[in-house]
Amino acid sequence: MLLLLLLQISGSCLWLGHSEVVTSFEHSCPQFFFKETPPNEALEPNNAARICQRYKNKYYFATLYDRDRRIPVYSAYLYQPGSGKRPKTWMVEPQMMGSVYPSSMAREWVLINYYNITLEQISKSQAVLVDYKNLTGLNRGHLNPSGHHPDNSSRTATFTLTNIVPQNEKLNGGAWKNYEQQIMIKETQGCATTYVVVGAVPGNNYIAGGRVNKPSHLWSGVCCEMDSDMELKAWAVFAENDRNDVQFVSLGELEEMLTQLYGRDQVSLFDRDCPRD
């Protein structure tokens, strides 16, 4: 009996963080969106999950996840870069299996060994580590990159498989990396608060035997509140996922591109006060 109790306590300590599948970003974690306004429903997948990504009892970003394609539609966060090591621990989201499961993000082996949850159960609604094994020409590409966060806890929180997509390795290590690590620093000079939404457009190809969608395009939209007089600034980037090239465009241009690609209603990524020109 004592041994069982110790195992349960040990397992609980290995959860590492928390995330919540919620019904509304506006009511649960609105702080990651400019004027607390998430993107509109034009990007909504048929089987969506809204995740407020929480680690050590603190929210760090929000993710709209496509359960059927097993990739995020977008992740939204505040740009607050800092120095530090890149984490190596990958986690999954138990609540993707249903609200009866714990809200804590955890390593797969912890769920399997301590909570009697099978890998098959986990994999029905989300990607798992084996899906990203033996990739050719692709990487596990973060939407919300760890380097855009200030400390170990916030960077670790980005290492959930609900925040990554199969990304072209040359793009991930080339033009996209240059945008994340160099151009963002230049563009955010003078920004007091920088809101970012990074997303992936579903493609026609899959990895892992058809389980995980390979996006056709990656994109990022930024809305920045300037230090002086609360002036607003916005920009965006857009990339095809089979080319090492990033296009710098206006926020309005990105929204038009996404509207055409999704073929639904007009896409709106931020509150209307964020400039589109």
Side-chain angles (χ1 to χ4, degrees):
M1 190 69 172
L2 178 61
L3 177 59
L4 178 60
L5 178 62
L6 290 173
L7 286 173
Q8 289 176 335
I9 294 172
S10 175
S12 299
C13 292
L14 291 168
W15 280 89
L16 295 178
H18 302 273
S19 65
E20 291 179 327
V21 175
V22 300
T23 57
S24 168
F25 286 138
E26 292 95 328
H27 293 148
S28 302
C29 52
Q31 64 269 35
F32 303 113
F33 304 95
F34 174 63
K35 290 198 170 181
E36 301 188 348
T37 304
N40 67 352
E41 294 182 356
L43 301 178
E44 191 98 356
N46 291 329
N47 193 5
R50 291 170 178 81
I51 307 170
C52 290
Q53 308 277 13
R54 189 175 68 190
Y55 181 74
K56 293 184 177 178
N57 296 318
K58 180 179 179 180
Y59 289 131
Y60 286 105
F61 64 107
T63 300
L64 181 66
Y65 193 78
D66 187 335
R67 297 175 188 265
D68 294 335
R69 296 184 177 93
R70 298 181 179 85
I71 59 170
V73 178
Y74 63 74
S75 285
Y77 62 96
L78 299 177
Y79 176 73
Q80 299 170 314
S83 60
K85 294 182 179 180
R86 178 183 171 89
K88 296 181 180 180
T89 298
W90 289 99
M91 292 175 281
V92 293
E93 311 289 357
Q95 281 208 340
M96 293 291 288
M97 297 180 287
S99 59
V100 298
Y101 292 94
S103 63
S104 304
M105 65 171 73
R107 302 183 193 186
E108 291 174 8
W109 67 267
V110 172
L111 294 176
I112 294 168
N113 292 328
Y114 292 98
Y115 292 89
N116 198 31
I117 297 172
T118 68
L119 185 62
E120 182 181 4
Q121 286 177 289
I122 301 170
S123 66
K124 284 181 178 179
S125 60
Q126 62 191 293
V128 291
L129 278 171
V130 70
D131 292 327
Y132 284 88
K133 292 282 182 67
N134 303 317
L135 295 178
T136 301
L138 297 169
N139 290 152
R140 287 176 283 200
H142 281 73
L143 294 192
N144 175 7
S146 63
H148 284 188
H149 295 273
D151 53 41
N152 183 66
S153 292
S154 55
R155 287 190 293 270
T156 300
T158 68
F159 272 70
T160 166
L161 295 179
T162 54
N163 180 47
I164 66 167
V165 299
Q167 185 176 12
N168 179 285
E169 64 179 0
K170 292 183 179 179
L171 175 64
N172 189 32
W176 194 261
K177 180 179 180 180
N178 181 61
Y179 171 71
E180 289 181 337
Q181 297 187 3
Q182 304 298 327
I183 297 175
M184 275 291 286
I185 293 175
K186 296 177 182 178
E187 290 296 323
T188 54
Q189 294 299 312
C191 292
T193 306
T194 304
Y195 298 89
V196 186
V197 180
V198 185
V201 180
N204 296 321
N205 298 312
Y206 285 76
I207 66 168
R211 281 183 35 81
V212 178
N213 186 266
K214 176 191 170 187
S216 61
H217 299 79
L218 298 172
W219 55 268
S220 177
V222 182
C223 192
C224 152
E225 294 177 342
M226 303 295 287
D227 287 322
S228 58
D229 302 323
M230 295 305 293
E231 179 185 351
L232 298 172
K233 173 184 176 182
W235 67 90
V237 293
F238 189 75
E240 296 179 31
N241 198 19
D242 58 1
R243 297 180 59 199
N244 184 21
D245 181 63
V246 171
Q247 299 179 50
F248 200 93
V249 297
S250 69
L251 176 59
E253 288 172 329
L254 173 61
E255 290 177 335
E256 287 300 326
M257 291 176 180
L258 294 177
T259 299
Q260 293 178 17
L261 284 168
Y262 277 85
R264 303 177 193 168
D265 296 334
Q266 175 67 42
V267 171
S268 177
L269 299 178
F270 294 98
D271 178 88
R272 63 184 181 180
D273 286 347
C274 192
R276 263 58 184 182
D277 298 334

